[in-house]
mmCIF file of all heavy atoms in Angstrom:
data_model
loop_
_atom_site.group_PDB
_atom_site.id
_atom_site.type_symbol
_atom_site.label_atom_id
_atom_site.label_comp_id
_atom_site.label_asym_id
_atom_site.label_seq_id
_atom_site.Cartn_x
_atom_site.Cartn_y
_atom_site.Cartn_z
ATOM 1 N N MET Y 1 -8.269 17.870 -2.065
ATOM 2 C CA MET Y 1 -6.966 17.403 -1.611
ATOM 3 C C MET Y 1 -6.919 15.904 -1.715
ATOM 4 O O MET Y 1 -7.830 15.224 -1.250
ATOM 5 C CB MET Y 1 -6.661 17.908 -0.229
ATOM 6 C CG MET Y 1 -5.214 17.712 0.156
ATOM 7 S SD MET Y 1 -4.904 18.538 1.768
ATOM 8 C CE MET Y 1 -4.014 17.215 2.581
ATOM 9 N N GLU Y 2 -5.863 15.388 -2.254
ATOM 10 C CA GLU Y 2 -5.722 14.028 -2.391
ATOM 11 C C GLU Y 2 -5.424 13.323 -1.073
ATOM 12 O O GLU Y 2 -4.558 13.791 -0.307
ATOM 13 C CB GLU Y 2 -4.582 13.681 -3.396
ATOM 14 C CG GLU Y 2 -4.648 12.296 -3.996
ATOM 15 C CD GLU Y 2 -3.613 12.103 -5.095
ATOM 16 O OE1 GLU Y 2 -2.900 13.076 -5.398
ATOM 17 O OE2 GLU Y 2 -3.567 11.029 -5.640
ATOM 18 N N ARG Y 3 -6.090 12.238 -0.812
ATOM 19 C CA ARG Y 3 -5.814 11.494 0.432
ATOM 20 C C ARG Y 3 -5.102 10.204 0.129
ATOM 21 O O ARG Y 3 -5.654 9.348 -0.528
ATOM 22 C CB ARG Y 3 -7.176 11.218 1.168
ATOM 23 C CG ARG Y 3 -7.748 12.497 1.747
ATOM 24 C CD ARG Y 3 -8.988 12.195 2.516
ATOM 25 N NE ARG Y 3 -8.742 11.196 3.524
ATOM 26 C CZ ARG Y 3 -8.610 11.460 4.845
ATOM 27 N NH1 ARG Y 3 -8.721 12.682 5.283
ATOM 28 N NH2 ARG Y 3 -8.411 10.487 5.693
ATOM 29 N N ILE Y 4 -3.927 10.112 0.610
ATOM 30 C CA ILE Y 4 -3.110 8.935 0.366
ATOM 31 C C ILE Y 4 -2.478 8.447 1.656
ATOM 32 O O ILE Y 4 -2.418 9.171 2.615
ATOM 33 C CB ILE Y 4 -1.995 9.191 -0.691
ATOM 34 C CG1 ILE Y 4 -1.065 10.310 -0.177
ATOM 35 C CG2 ILE Y 4 -2.554 9.531 -2.048
ATOM 36 C CD1 ILE Y 4 0.350 10.211 -0.602
ATOM 37 N N PHE Y 5 -1.970 7.239 1.590
ATOM 38 C CA PHE Y 5 -1.147 6.748 2.711
ATOM 39 C C PHE Y 5 0.018 6.007 2.056
ATOM 40 O O PHE Y 5 0.006 5.731 0.873
ATOM 41 C CB PHE Y 5 -1.920 5.912 3.736
ATOM 42 C CG PHE Y 5 -2.407 4.613 3.208
ATOM 43 C CD1 PHE Y 5 -1.825 3.418 3.555
ATOM 44 C CD2 PHE Y 5 -3.592 4.593 2.474
ATOM 45 C CE1 PHE Y 5 -2.291 2.198 3.121
ATOM 46 C CE2 PHE Y 5 -4.057 3.319 2.028
ATOM 47 C CZ PHE Y 5 -3.424 2.147 2.329
ATOM 48 N N TRP Y 6 1.028 5.750 2.894
ATOM 49 C CA TRP Y 6 2.223 5.101 2.376
ATOM 50 C C TRP Y 6 2.349 3.677 2.900
ATOM 51 O O TRP Y 6 2.118 3.421 4.055
ATOM 52 C CB TRP Y 6 3.468 5.875 2.800
ATOM 53 C CG TRP Y 6 3.509 7.252 2.215
ATOM 54 C CD1 TRP Y 6 2.975 8.365 2.734
ATOM 55 C CD2 TRP Y 6 4.132 7.649 0.994
ATOM 56 N NE1 TRP Y 6 3.217 9.433 1.885
ATOM 57 C CE2 TRP Y 6 3.917 8.999 0.785
ATOM 58 C CE3 TRP Y 6 4.824 6.942 0.002
ATOM 59 C CZ2 TRP Y 6 4.388 9.682 -0.303
ATOM 60 C CZ3 TRP Y 6 5.306 7.622 -1.102
ATOM 61 C CH2 TRP Y 6 5.131 8.986 -1.253
ATOM 62 N N VAL Y 7 2.700 2.756 2.008
ATOM 63 C CA VAL Y 7 2.925 1.393 2.458
ATOM 64 C C VAL Y 7 4.341 0.980 1.962
ATOM 65 O O VAL Y 7 4.878 1.506 0.985
ATOM 66 C CB VAL Y 7 1.882 0.379 1.856
ATOM 67 C CG1 VAL Y 7 0.496 0.696 2.382
ATOM 68 C CG2 VAL Y 7 1.955 0.348 0.348
ATOM 69 N N SER Y 8 4.879 -0.016 2.655
ATOM 70 C CA SER Y 8 6.129 -0.573 2.251
ATOM 71 C C SER Y 8 5.903 -2.034 1.840
ATOM 72 O O SER Y 8 5.287 -2.819 2.586
ATOM 73 C CB SER Y 8 7.224 -0.520 3.328
ATOM 74 O OG SER Y 8 7.581 0.807 3.629
ATOM 75 N N CYS Y 9 6.373 -2.395 0.687
ATOM 76 C CA CYS Y 9 6.179 -3.774 0.157
ATOM 77 C C CYS Y 9 6.878 -4.744 1.083
ATOM 78 O O CYS Y 9 8.068 -4.583 1.442
ATOM 79 C CB CYS Y 9 6.734 -3.834 -1.221
ATOM 80 S SG CYS Y 9 6.835 -5.508 -1.912
ATOM 81 N N PRO Y 10 6.186 -5.876 1.505
ATOM 82 C CA PRO Y 10 6.824 -6.879 2.316
ATOM 83 C C PRO Y 10 7.957 -7.633 1.697
ATOM 84 O O PRO Y 10 8.788 -8.266 2.312
ATOM 85 C CB PRO Y 10 5.668 -7.745 2.793
ATOM 86 C CG PRO Y 10 4.613 -7.586 1.713
ATOM 87 C CD PRO Y 10 4.796 -6.188 1.196
ATOM 88 N N SER Y 11 7.991 -7.630 0.360
ATOM 89 C CA SER Y 11 8.990 -8.422 -0.370
ATOM 90 C C SER Y 11 10.253 -7.578 -0.661
ATOM 91 O O SER Y 11 11.362 -8.030 -0.348
ATOM 92 C CB SER Y 11 8.385 -8.921 -1.697
ATOM 93 O OG SER Y 11 7.343 -9.792 -1.435
ATOM 94 N N CYS Y 12 10.090 -6.377 -1.202
ATOM 95 C CA CYS Y 12 11.253 -5.635 -1.640
ATOM 96 C C CYS Y 12 11.459 -4.342 -0.818
ATOM 97 O O CYS Y 12 12.419 -3.599 -1.030
ATOM 98 C CB CYS Y 12 11.196 -5.313 -3.149
ATOM 99 S SG CYS Y 12 9.963 -4.092 -3.543
ATOM 100 N N ARG Y 13 10.502 -4.068 0.084
ATOM 101 C CA ARG Y 13 10.601 -2.890 0.946
ATOM 102 C C ARG Y 13 10.392 -1.546 0.191
ATOM 103 O O ARG Y 13 10.646 -0.494 0.777
ATOM 104 C CB ARG Y 13 11.881 -2.802 1.720
ATOM 105 C CG ARG Y 13 12.121 -4.092 2.534
ATOM 106 C CD ARG Y 13 11.239 -4.053 3.772
ATOM 107 N NE ARG Y 13 11.178 -5.410 4.379
ATOM 108 C CZ ARG Y 13 10.641 -5.698 5.522
ATOM 109 N NH1 ARG Y 13 10.176 -4.724 6.244
ATOM 110 N NH2 ARG Y 13 10.603 -6.924 5.987
ATOM 111 N N PHE Y 14 10.004 -1.637 -1.057
ATOM 112 C CA PHE Y 14 9.760 -0.409 -1.798
ATOM 113 C C PHE Y 14 8.595 0.356 -1.138
ATOM 114 O O PHE Y 14 7.574 -0.219 -0.849
ATOM 115 C CB PHE Y 14 9.473 -0.744 -3.251
ATOM 116 C CG PHE Y 14 9.205 0.468 -4.127
ATOM 117 C CD1 PHE Y 14 10.252 1.357 -4.400
ATOM 118 C CD2 PHE Y 14 7.959 0.684 -4.656
ATOM 119 C CE1 PHE Y 14 10.039 2.452 -5.227
ATOM 120 C CE2 PHE Y 14 7.732 1.815 -5.424
ATOM 121 C CZ PHE Y 14 8.797 2.681 -5.732
ATOM 122 N N ARG Y 15 8.744 1.655 -0.978
ATOM 123 C CA ARG Y 15 7.719 2.457 -0.328
ATOM 124 C C ARG Y 15 6.949 3.212 -1.369
ATOM 125 O O ARG Y 15 7.533 3.886 -2.231
ATOM 126 C CB ARG Y 15 8.430 3.390 0.649
ATOM 127 C CG ARG Y 15 7.481 4.152 1.553
ATOM 128 C CD ARG Y 15 8.284 4.831 2.639
ATOM 129 N NE ARG Y 15 7.555 5.789 3.444
ATOM 130 C CZ ARG Y 15 7.380 7.094 3.152
ATOM 131 N NH1 ARG Y 15 7.908 7.552 2.033
ATOM 132 N NH2 ARG Y 15 6.657 7.840 3.920
ATOM 133 N N TYR Y 16 5.636 3.141 -1.371
ATOM 134 C CA TYR Y 16 4.846 3.898 -2.320
ATOM 135 C C TYR Y 16 3.527 4.301 -1.757
ATOM 136 O O TYR Y 16 3.074 3.832 -0.721
ATOM 137 C CB TYR Y 16 4.688 3.053 -3.614
ATOM 138 C CG TYR Y 16 3.887 1.766 -3.444
ATOM 139 C CD1 TYR Y 16 2.569 1.761 -3.894
ATOM 140 C CD2 TYR Y 16 4.457 0.601 -2.938
ATOM 141 C CE1 TYR Y 16 1.776 0.579 -3.763
ATOM 142 C CE2 TYR Y 16 3.700 -0.536 -2.784
ATOM 143 C CZ TYR Y 16 2.378 -0.533 -3.237
ATOM 144 O OH TYR Y 16 1.634 -1.733 -3.108
ATOM 145 N N SER Y 17 2.855 5.252 -2.436
ATOM 146 C CA SER Y 17 1.634 5.798 -1.978
ATOM 147 C C SER Y 17 0.412 5.033 -2.525
ATOM 148 O O SER Y 17 0.444 4.560 -3.644
ATOM 149 C CB SER Y 17 1.538 7.269 -2.276
ATOM 150 O OG SER Y 17 1.562 7.447 -3.692
ATOM 151 N N VAL Y 18 -0.601 4.969 -1.684
ATOM 152 C CA VAL Y 18 -1.868 4.318 -2.092
ATOM 153 C C VAL Y 18 -3.065 5.210 -1.744
ATOM 154 O O VAL Y 18 -3.004 5.927 -0.747
ATOM 155 C CB VAL Y 18 -2.031 2.962 -1.315
ATOM 156 C CG1 VAL Y 18 -3.267 2.240 -1.679
ATOM 157 C CG2 VAL Y 18 -0.792 2.074 -1.537
ATOM 158 N N ASP Y 19 -4.067 5.160 -2.553
ATOM 159 C CA ASP Y 19 -5.290 5.932 -2.286
ATOM 160 C C ASP Y 19 -5.880 5.508 -0.906
ATOM 161 O O ASP Y 19 -6.064 4.329 -0.630
ATOM 162 C CB ASP Y 19 -6.297 5.652 -3.406
ATOM 163 C CG ASP Y 19 -7.484 6.627 -3.278
ATOM 164 O OD1 ASP Y 19 -8.058 6.778 -2.225
ATOM 165 O OD2 ASP Y 19 -7.771 7.214 -4.365
ATOM 166 N N HIS Y 20 -6.121 6.496 -0.119
ATOM 167 C CA HIS Y 20 -6.593 6.300 1.246
ATOM 168 C C HIS Y 20 -7.908 5.500 1.281
ATOM 169 O O HIS Y 20 -8.186 4.728 2.219
ATOM 170 C CB HIS Y 20 -6.781 7.589 1.979
ATOM 171 C CG HIS Y 20 -6.570 7.440 3.480
ATOM 172 N ND1 HIS Y 20 -7.574 7.016 4.329
ATOM 173 C CD2 HIS Y 20 -5.476 7.687 4.242
ATOM 174 C CE1 HIS Y 20 -7.080 6.991 5.573
ATOM 175 N NE2 HIS Y 20 -5.834 7.364 5.567
ATOM 176 N N ALA Y 21 -8.733 5.574 0.232
ATOM 177 C CA ALA Y 21 -10.001 4.901 0.220
ATOM 178 C C ALA Y 21 -9.813 3.363 0.253
ATOM 179 O O ALA Y 21 -10.694 2.636 0.745
ATOM 180 C CB ALA Y 21 -10.790 5.277 -1.057
ATOM 181 N N LEU Y 22 -8.701 2.885 -0.197
ATOM 182 C CA LEU Y 22 -8.468 1.464 -0.237
ATOM 183 C C LEU Y 22 -8.112 0.893 1.145
ATOM 184 O O LEU Y 22 -8.345 -0.310 1.385
ATOM 185 C CB LEU Y 22 -7.290 1.133 -1.171
ATOM 186 C CG LEU Y 22 -7.518 1.450 -2.636
ATOM 187 C CD1 LEU Y 22 -6.246 1.090 -3.436
ATOM 188 C CD2 LEU Y 22 -8.733 0.735 -3.173
ATOM 189 N N ARG Y 23 -7.689 1.754 2.030
ATOM 190 C CA ARG Y 23 -7.229 1.217 3.330
ATOM 191 C C ARG Y 23 -8.382 0.639 4.204
ATOM 192 O O ARG Y 23 -8.238 -0.259 4.954
ATOM 193 C CB ARG Y 23 -6.632 2.393 4.111
ATOM 194 C CG ARG Y 23 -5.981 1.890 5.416
ATOM 195 C CD ARG Y 23 -5.139 2.982 6.053
ATOM 196 N NE ARG Y 23 -4.571 2.494 7.272
ATOM 197 C CZ ARG Y 23 -3.731 3.188 8.023
ATOM 198 N NH1 ARG Y 23 -3.329 4.311 7.600
ATOM 199 N NH2 ARG Y 23 -3.255 2.691 9.113
ATOM 200 N N ARG Y 24 -9.595 1.159 4.001
ATOM 201 C CA ARG Y 24 -10.731 0.708 4.814
ATOM 202 C C ARG Y 24 -11.261 -0.596 4.294
ATOM 203 O O ARG Y 24 -12.156 -1.240 4.891
ATOM 204 C CB ARG Y 24 -11.852 1.737 4.734
ATOM 205 C CG ARG Y 24 -11.417 3.018 5.365
ATOM 206 C CD ARG Y 24 -12.505 4.082 5.195
ATOM 207 N NE ARG Y 24 -12.083 5.377 5.699
ATOM 208 C CZ ARG Y 24 -12.214 5.732 6.947
ATOM 209 N NH1 ARG Y 24 -12.782 4.903 7.837
ATOM 210 N NH2 ARG Y 24 -11.801 6.928 7.389
ATOM 211 N N ARG Y 25 -10.791 -1.099 3.200
ATOM 212 C CA ARG Y 25 -11.319 -2.316 2.620
ATOM 213 C C ARG Y 25 -10.382 -3.475 2.828
ATOM 214 O O ARG Y 25 -9.274 -3.561 2.265
ATOM 215 C CB ARG Y 25 -11.518 -2.074 1.138
ATOM 216 C CG ARG Y 25 -12.543 -0.977 0.821
ATOM 217 C CD ARG Y 25 -12.820 -0.871 -0.618
ATOM 218 N NE ARG Y 25 -13.200 -2.144 -1.230
ATOM 219 C CZ ARG Y 25 -13.401 -2.348 -2.542
ATOM 220 N NH1 ARG Y 25 -13.274 -1.320 -3.363
ATOM 221 N NH2 ARG Y 25 -13.708 -3.514 -2.995
ATOM 222 N N ALA Y 26 -10.828 -4.419 3.640
ATOM 223 C CA ALA Y 26 -10.017 -5.530 4.085
ATOM 224 C C ALA Y 26 -9.715 -6.480 2.892
ATOM 225 O O ALA Y 26 -8.751 -7.237 2.906
ATOM 226 C CB ALA Y 26 -10.675 -6.292 5.186
ATOM 227 N N ASP Y 27 -10.582 -6.444 1.880
ATOM 228 C CA ASP Y 27 -10.442 -7.425 0.785
ATOM 229 C C ASP Y 27 -9.517 -6.895 -0.309
ATOM 230 O O ASP Y 27 -9.286 -7.587 -1.300
ATOM 231 C CB ASP Y 27 -11.810 -7.736 0.195
ATOM 232 C CG ASP Y 27 -12.517 -6.496 -0.370
ATOM 233 O OD1 ASP Y 27 -12.276 -5.387 0.164
ATOM 234 O OD2 ASP Y 27 -13.311 -6.635 -1.272
ATOM 235 N N VAL Y 28 -8.983 -5.694 -0.154
ATOM 236 C CA VAL Y 28 -8.143 -5.124 -1.177
ATOM 237 C C VAL Y 28 -6.739 -5.701 -1.194
ATOM 238 O O VAL Y 28 -6.115 -5.877 -0.142
ATOM 239 C CB VAL Y 28 -8.034 -3.591 -0.997
ATOM 240 C CG1 VAL Y 28 -6.865 -3.004 -1.889
ATOM 241 C CG2 VAL Y 28 -9.321 -2.939 -1.368
ATOM 242 N N THR Y 29 -6.290 -6.121 -2.381
ATOM 243 C CA THR Y 29 -4.927 -6.566 -2.547
ATOM 244 C C THR Y 29 -4.133 -5.492 -3.281
ATOM 245 O O THR Y 29 -4.546 -5.050 -4.362
ATOM 246 C CB THR Y 29 -4.915 -7.848 -3.338
ATOM 247 O OG1 THR Y 29 -5.672 -8.891 -2.694
ATOM 248 C CG2 THR Y 29 -3.513 -8.388 -3.490
ATOM 249 N N LEU Y 30 -3.002 -5.133 -2.664
ATOM 250 C CA LEU Y 30 -2.148 -4.142 -3.292
ATOM 251 C C LEU Y 30 -1.126 -4.772 -4.172
ATOM 252 O O LEU Y 30 -0.711 -5.914 -3.913
ATOM 253 C CB LEU Y 30 -1.420 -3.304 -2.226
ATOM 254 C CG LEU Y 30 -2.293 -2.610 -1.174
ATOM 255 C CD1 LEU Y 30 -1.432 -1.916 -0.143
ATOM 256 C CD2 LEU Y 30 -3.241 -1.610 -1.855
ATOM 257 N N GLU Y 31 -0.701 -4.095 -5.243
ATOM 258 C CA GLU Y 31 0.324 -4.644 -6.052
ATOM 259 C C GLU Y 31 1.506 -3.667 -6.067
ATOM 260 O O GLU Y 31 1.383 -2.499 -6.358
ATOM 261 C CB GLU Y 31 -0.168 -4.796 -7.518
ATOM 262 C CG GLU Y 31 0.958 -5.438 -8.366
ATOM 263 C CD GLU Y 31 0.442 -5.717 -9.798
ATOM 264 O OE1 GLU Y 31 -0.525 -6.433 -9.963
ATOM 265 O OE2 GLU Y 31 1.099 -5.214 -10.743
ATOM 266 N N CYS Y 32 2.675 -4.203 -5.719
ATOM 267 C CA CYS Y 32 3.889 -3.383 -5.625
ATOM 268 C C CYS Y 32 4.279 -2.973 -7.052
ATOM 269 O O CYS Y 32 4.404 -3.797 -7.930
ATOM 270 C CB CYS Y 32 4.986 -4.171 -4.978
ATOM 271 S SG CYS Y 32 6.577 -3.358 -5.000
ATOM 272 N N PRO Y 33 4.491 -1.677 -7.280
ATOM 273 C CA PRO Y 33 4.870 -1.182 -8.611
ATOM 274 C C PRO Y 33 6.298 -1.583 -9.017
ATOM 275 O O PRO Y 33 6.658 -1.491 -10.189
ATOM 276 C CB PRO Y 33 4.675 0.338 -8.508
ATOM 277 C CG PRO Y 33 4.869 0.635 -7.098
ATOM 278 C CD PRO Y 33 4.319 -0.553 -6.324
ATOM 279 N N ARG Y 34 7.078 -2.006 -8.068
ATOM 280 C CA ARG Y 34 8.452 -2.309 -8.296
ATOM 281 C C ARG Y 34 8.677 -3.825 -8.656
ATOM 282 O O ARG Y 34 9.237 -4.196 -9.648
ATOM 283 C CB ARG Y 34 9.290 -1.918 -7.102
ATOM 284 C CG ARG Y 34 10.804 -2.077 -7.352
ATOM 285 C CD ARG Y 34 11.511 -1.618 -6.081
ATOM 286 N NE ARG Y 34 12.922 -1.718 -6.180
ATOM 287 C CZ ARG Y 34 13.735 -1.666 -5.105
ATOM 288 N NH1 ARG Y 34 13.206 -1.560 -3.917
ATOM 289 N NH2 ARG Y 34 15.014 -1.838 -5.272
ATOM 290 N N CYS Y 35 8.231 -4.690 -7.735
ATOM 291 C CA CYS Y 35 8.447 -6.136 -7.887
ATOM 292 C C CYS Y 35 7.197 -6.896 -8.238
ATOM 293 O O CYS Y 35 7.270 -8.103 -8.508
ATOM 294 C CB CYS Y 35 9.087 -6.718 -6.644
ATOM 295 S SG CYS Y 35 7.916 -6.855 -5.229
ATOM 296 N N ARG Y 36 6.049 -6.145 -8.335
ATOM 297 C CA ARG Y 36 4.796 -6.773 -8.712
ATOM 298 C C ARG Y 36 4.222 -7.806 -7.774
ATOM 299 O O ARG Y 36 3.405 -8.587 -8.124
ATOM 300 C CB ARG Y 36 4.875 -7.377 -10.145
ATOM 301 C CG ARG Y 36 5.297 -6.372 -11.238
ATOM 302 C CD ARG Y 36 4.268 -5.317 -11.390
ATOM 303 N NE ARG Y 36 4.707 -4.287 -12.322
ATOM 304 C CZ ARG Y 36 4.057 -3.136 -12.461
ATOM 305 N NH1 ARG Y 36 2.983 -2.883 -11.782
ATOM 306 N NH2 ARG Y 36 4.544 -2.240 -13.314
ATOM 307 N N ASP Y 37 4.763 -7.792 -6.563
ATOM 308 C CA ASP Y 37 4.236 -8.700 -5.546
ATOM 309 C C ASP Y 37 2.893 -8.212 -5.130
ATOM 310 O O ASP Y 37 2.604 -7.003 -5.119
ATOM 311 C CB ASP Y 37 5.193 -8.709 -4.327
ATOM 312 C CG ASP Y 37 4.789 -9.847 -3.354
ATOM 313 O OD1 ASP Y 37 4.314 -10.866 -3.837
ATOM 314 O OD2 ASP Y 37 4.990 -9.622 -2.171
ATOM 315 N N ARG Y 38 1.987 -9.152 -4.839
ATOM 316 C CA ARG Y 38 0.654 -8.783 -4.394
ATOM 317 C C ARG Y 38 0.491 -9.125 -2.954
ATOM 318 O O ARG Y 38 0.883 -10.240 -2.533
ATOM 319 C CB ARG Y 38 -0.398 -9.506 -5.251
ATOM 320 C CG ARG Y 38 -0.450 -8.966 -6.651
ATOM 321 C CD ARG Y 38 -1.403 -9.838 -7.504
ATOM 322 N NE ARG Y 38 -1.736 -9.126 -8.751
ATOM 323 C CZ ARG Y 38 -2.740 -8.264 -8.873
ATOM 324 N NH1 ARG Y 38 -3.509 -7.982 -7.856
ATOM 325 N NH2 ARG Y 38 -2.962 -7.688 -10.039
ATOM 326 N N PHE Y 39 -0.095 -8.203 -2.151
ATOM 327 C CA PHE Y 39 -0.256 -8.478 -0.771
ATOM 328 C C PHE Y 39 -1.458 -7.726 -0.225
ATOM 329 O O PHE Y 39 -1.746 -6.616 -0.717
ATOM 330 C CB PHE Y 39 1.036 -8.125 0.013
ATOM 331 C CG PHE Y 39 1.436 -6.706 -0.201
ATOM 332 C CD1 PHE Y 39 1.069 -5.696 0.728
ATOM 333 C CD2 PHE Y 39 2.238 -6.290 -1.242
ATOM 334 C CE1 PHE Y 39 1.454 -4.355 0.534
ATOM 335 C CE2 PHE Y 39 2.634 -4.967 -1.459
ATOM 336 C CZ PHE Y 39 2.222 -4.042 -0.561
ATOM 337 N N PRO Y 40 -2.150 -8.216 0.814
ATOM 338 C CA PRO Y 40 -3.235 -7.483 1.400
ATOM 339 C C PRO Y 40 -2.703 -6.288 2.221
ATOM 340 O O PRO Y 40 -1.559 -6.351 2.680
ATOM 341 C CB PRO Y 40 -3.951 -8.478 2.282
ATOM 342 C CG PRO Y 40 -2.912 -9.572 2.587
ATOM 343 C CD PRO Y 40 -1.992 -9.558 1.367
ATOM 344 N N VAL Y 41 -3.540 -5.279 2.369
ATOM 345 C CA VAL Y 41 -3.037 -4.054 3.083
ATOM 346 C C VAL Y 41 -2.460 -4.413 4.462
ATOM 347 O O VAL Y 41 -1.443 -3.858 4.819
ATOM 348 C CB VAL Y 41 -4.275 -3.101 3.261
ATOM 349 C CG1 VAL Y 41 -3.877 -1.866 4.138
ATOM 350 C CG2 VAL Y 41 -4.782 -2.635 1.931
ATOM 351 N N GLU Y 42 -3.118 -5.311 5.178
ATOM 352 C CA GLU Y 42 -2.594 -5.604 6.528
ATOM 353 C C GLU Y 42 -1.291 -6.293 6.536
ATOM 354 O O GLU Y 42 -0.640 -6.444 7.566
ATOM 355 C CB GLU Y 42 -3.654 -6.378 7.346
ATOM 356 C CG GLU Y 42 -3.949 -7.767 6.748
ATOM 357 C CD GLU Y 42 -5.192 -7.777 5.860
ATOM 358 O OE1 GLU Y 42 -5.473 -6.769 5.193
ATOM 359 O OE2 GLU Y 42 -5.809 -8.817 5.820
ATOM 360 N N SER Y 43 -0.789 -6.793 5.394
ATOM 361 C CA SER Y 43 0.521 -7.451 5.350
ATOM 362 C C SER Y 43 1.659 -6.513 4.941
ATOM 363 O O SER Y 43 2.782 -6.937 4.784
ATOM 364 C CB SER Y 43 0.440 -8.612 4.348
ATOM 365 O OG SER Y 43 -0.368 -9.633 4.757
ATOM 366 N N ALA Y 44 1.377 -5.264 4.734
ATOM 367 C CA ALA Y 44 2.382 -4.277 4.385
ATOM 368 C C ALA Y 44 3.426 -4.220 5.476
ATOM 369 O O ALA Y 44 3.144 -4.350 6.680
ATOM 370 C CB ALA Y 44 1.726 -2.910 4.183
ATOM 371 N N ALA Y 45 4.696 -4.054 5.062
ATOM 372 C CA ALA Y 45 5.820 -4.005 6.029
ATOM 373 C C ALA Y 45 5.651 -2.795 6.928
ATOM 374 O O ALA Y 45 6.035 -2.837 8.088
ATOM 375 C CB ALA Y 45 7.109 -3.930 5.279
ATOM 376 N N SER Y 46 5.116 -1.705 6.428
ATOM 377 C CA SER Y 46 4.826 -0.568 7.259
ATOM 378 C C SER Y 46 3.748 0.292 6.620
ATOM 379 O O SER Y 46 3.565 0.262 5.400
ATOM 380 C CB SER Y 46 6.031 0.297 7.562
ATOM 381 O OG SER Y 46 6.451 0.957 6.322
ATOM 382 N N ILE Y 47 2.966 0.983 7.403
ATOM 383 C CA ILE Y 47 1.903 1.889 6.930
ATOM 384 C C ILE Y 47 2.077 3.220 7.613
ATOM 385 O O ILE Y 47 2.237 3.328 8.825
ATOM 386 C CB ILE Y 47 0.535 1.353 7.246
ATOM 387 C CG1 ILE Y 47 0.347 -0.037 6.537
ATOM 388 C CG2 ILE Y 47 -0.544 2.304 6.795
ATOM 389 C CD1 ILE Y 47 -0.978 -0.701 6.873
ATOM 390 N N GLU Y 48 2.102 4.312 6.799
ATOM 391 C CA GLU Y 48 2.185 5.613 7.334
ATOM 392 C C GLU Y 48 1.146 6.519 6.724
ATOM 393 O O GLU Y 48 0.926 6.476 5.514
ATOM 394 C CB GLU Y 48 3.584 6.231 7.027
ATOM 395 C CG GLU Y 48 4.742 5.480 7.594
ATOM 396 C CD GLU Y 48 6.029 6.020 6.987
ATOM 397 O OE1 GLU Y 48 6.217 7.242 6.934
ATOM 398 O OE2 GLU Y 48 6.830 5.239 6.500
ATOM 399 N N ASP Y 49 0.527 7.317 7.560
ATOM 400 C CA ASP Y 49 -0.458 8.268 7.027
ATOM 401 C C ASP Y 49 0.262 9.514 6.521
ATOM 402 O O ASP Y 49 1.329 9.814 7.008
ATOM 403 C CB ASP Y 49 -1.450 8.617 8.106
ATOM 404 C CG ASP Y 49 -2.459 7.523 8.296
ATOM 405 O OD1 ASP Y 49 -3.046 7.078 7.283
ATOM 406 O OD2 ASP Y 49 -2.595 7.043 9.492
HETATM 407 ZN ZN1 ZN W 1 7.870 -4.984 -3.940
#
């Protein structure tokens, strides 16, 4: 079963799923598929499991 969580982009609020394995890594930078903004996991506008 795939483990994912949901984040909202802090720039455009687009909500998308991310592999759960990335959440534990503080150094990971996510890239929004909509506006291409890059942000660390902890800067996401919201996080939902
Ligand atoms: Zn965005």
